[in-house]
Amino acid sequence: MATIRDVAKLAGVSPAAVSRILNDDPTLSATAMTRKKVLDAAAKLNYEKKNSISKAAFTMGVVQWFSAEDEMRDKYYLMIRKGIEDYCIAHSISIVRVFKTDGNYREELSDVNGIICIGKFGNRQVEEFMGLCDNVIFLDMLVEGYSATSLTMDFKCSVRNALEYLMDNGHDKIAYIGGKEYTEDKELIYDERRETFIKYMREHNRFKKEFVKEGEFTTASGYEQMNKLLCRKELPTAVFAASDAIAFGVIKAIKEAGYKVPGDISVIGFNDEEMSEFSSPTLTTIHAPAYDMGQHGANLLYGATNLNISTPLKVKIPCHLVIRESSGKAKR
């Protein structure tokens, strides 16, 4: 009997895409040709939809902080979600997917067995989600205390490793370009990358307040903030960007100003998006295993629910530096 993976292989798409197309997911951005390939493959293999994850006994609720449009601009949260969905497909788990902006998300989540919350949420929303279900996990957000399980990237260690690499290559004028994010309740979200950068640079007597710029986590904002730095008489020899999207904007601004990357200014990003391998120059960045975070989160939720484990965990996922062409020794 054909499975979703068989259909996906024949159609040349991911199992998650097959599941969402066959279940008429309105949030999926797929071309008419892709949908036709999936439907034709399902028909050719005599795939029976009764085997799809929508009929599974276990139902996992997935709450997304980002909108579908935001996901396409920043692949980090897209990869977290894909990790969750692929895990659910492999284990025949049904998914109820909602966005925090959906007016009826409480009703949608009323009968789920567990909830995964992706992104950043305010204290009020954290309490609300935990009131909807006994088993709730937060991904990419540290929940204060031990009221709920949370999985986050190890920002502190990864940022320090990146800065150590830069200093070992003679860089002592290092700038930080990041973004500010807020919860639905207008609470400023704590960014461990920024705080770790400031602390490390102060420890080494290299901190310059004017070298810290923040806008949004977008390429356009990275471009704008880098142009502000380029207007200064004293320029950094390296820039640490809090995301790859920001880093791409930083590189564009540097090039347009007539400087070379990394000849004049080195650039390091964060996330290791697929595009990082194909940018010009290819981007040195910190690999944040977002897909694995999604898989781990789904596995923890599923296991804790089935085994009646109520003890929450705080999990930090290691990241590592990927050295490519955008960084090198400081210009003397």
Side-chain angles (χ1 to χ4, degrees):
M1 187 175 290
T3 66
I4 280 182
R5 292 190 178 276
D6 295 328
V7 176
K9 185 176 181 181
L10 183 59
V13 299
S14 69
V18 171
S19 173
R20 294 173 66 189
I21 288 172
L22 295 181
N23 285 286
D24 298 319
D25 187 340
T27 65
L28 176 65
S29 298
T31 64
M33 184 178 293
T34 299
R35 293 180 185 275
K36 185 176 186 303
K37 283 183 180 179
V38 170
L39 295 175
D40 288 348
K44 186 175 181 179
L45 295 172
N46 295 317
Y47 174 77
E48 298 180 18
K49 192 176 175 182
K50 66 182 182 180
N51 293 321
S52 71
I53 61 172
S54 63
K55 299 296 184 181
F58 188 96
T59 302
M60 187 176 295
V62 178
V63 183
Q64 292 183 245
W65 181 56
F66 260 27
S67 67
E69 293 75 19
D70 290 333
E71 251 192 358
M72 297 312 297
R73 288 192 293 268
D74 189 333
K75 302 297 191 296
Y76 177 75
Y77 286 111
L78 175 65
M79 293 308 297
I80 292 177
R81 177 171 63 79
K82 190 175 185 303
I84 295 170
E85 290 180 342
D86 285 355
Y87 179 92
C88 289
I89 289 169
H91 294 82
S92 298
I93 297 171
S94 178
I95 297 175
V96 174
R97 180 176 166 221
V98 301
F99 294 93
K100 70 168 188 176
T101 53
D102 293 345
N104 64 334
Y105 70 81
R106 298 172 188 81
E107 292 76 15
E108 292 288 325
L109 297 172
S110 60
D111 295 322
V112 299
N113 301 101
I115 298 174
I116 291 185
C117 301
I118 307 173
K120 311 295 195 303
F121 302 91
N123 294 329
R124 181 178 59 82
Q125 283 191 307
V126 169
E127 292 177 4
E128 184 177 27
F129 293 138
M130 294 181 65
L132 293 173
C133 184
D134 291 335
N135 199 3
V136 182
I137 286 181
F138 292 86
L139 303 187
D140 198 48
M141 172 182 167
L142 186 63
V143 180
E144 298 218 355
Y146 281 92
S147 55
T149 292
S150 61
L151 280 73
T152 56
M153 297 296 175
D154 191 347
F155 292 125
K156 184 181 294 185
C157 182
S158 57
V159 171
R160 294 183 74 90
N161 286 342
L163 295 176
E164 183 176 322
Y165 158 77
L166 288 173
M167 286 196 173
D168 285 347
N169 278 277
H171 295 278
D172 56 4
K173 297 177 182 178
I174 306 171
Y176 171 91
I177 298 182
K180 291 183 178 181
E181 294 177 309
Y182 299 85
T183 68
E184 190 179 61
D185 299 328
K186 309 302 180 185
E187 301 168 5
L188 179 63
I189 296 167
Y190 173 80
D191 193 329
E192 194 171 23
R193 284 163 295 199
R194 177 184 183 275
E195 298 308 313
T196 300
F197 174 89
I198 292 173
K199 184 176 181 180
Y200 184 94
M201 296 302 287
R202 280 178 171 159
E203 287 173 358
H204 292 79
N205 297 315
R206 294 289 186 271
F207 177 70
K208 294 177 181 291
K209 185 178 181 180
E210 58 272 23
F211 277 2
V212 175
K213 300 293 183 184
E214 290 180 286
E216 299 178 350
F217 282 90
T218 64
T219 299
S221 180
Y223 177 80
E224 179 186 353
Q225 299 304 320
M226 187 64 216
N227 276 323
K228 291 179 181 178
L229 285 175
L230 291 168
C231 290
R232 298 186 54 81
K233 183 177 180 180
E234 182 182 31
L235 298 180
T237 62
V239 175
F240 176 82
S243 75
D244 289 350
I246 291 173
F248 295 142
V250 168
I251 291 174
K252 177 177 171 61
I254 293 171
K255 286 182 174 182
E256 286 185 356
Y259 297 102
K260 294 180 181 179
V261 179
D264 297 307
I265 304 175
S266 288
V267 179
I268 293 181
F270 198 108
N271 287 345
D272 195 19
E273 292 184 10
E274 183 180 5
M275 191 61 197
S276 302
E277 291 187 74
F278 303 99
S279 60
S280 181
T282 56
L283 182 65
T284 294
T285 183
I286 294 171
H287 177 74
Y291 179 86
D292 292 351
M293 175 182 275
Q295 293 252 302
H296 280 306
N299 184 50
L300 282 173
L301 184 71
Y302 188 47
T305 304
N306 285 329
L307 298 174
N308 292 318
I309 297 174
S310 59
T311 304
L313 300 172
K314 286 188 186 296
V315 180
K316 281 192 178 292
I317 297 179
C319 308
H320 65 271
L321 183 65
V322 180
I323 300 173
R324 298 194 181 103
E325 297 169 349
S326 69
S327 64
K329 291 188 178 297
K331 184 177 180 180
R332 294 299 180 186

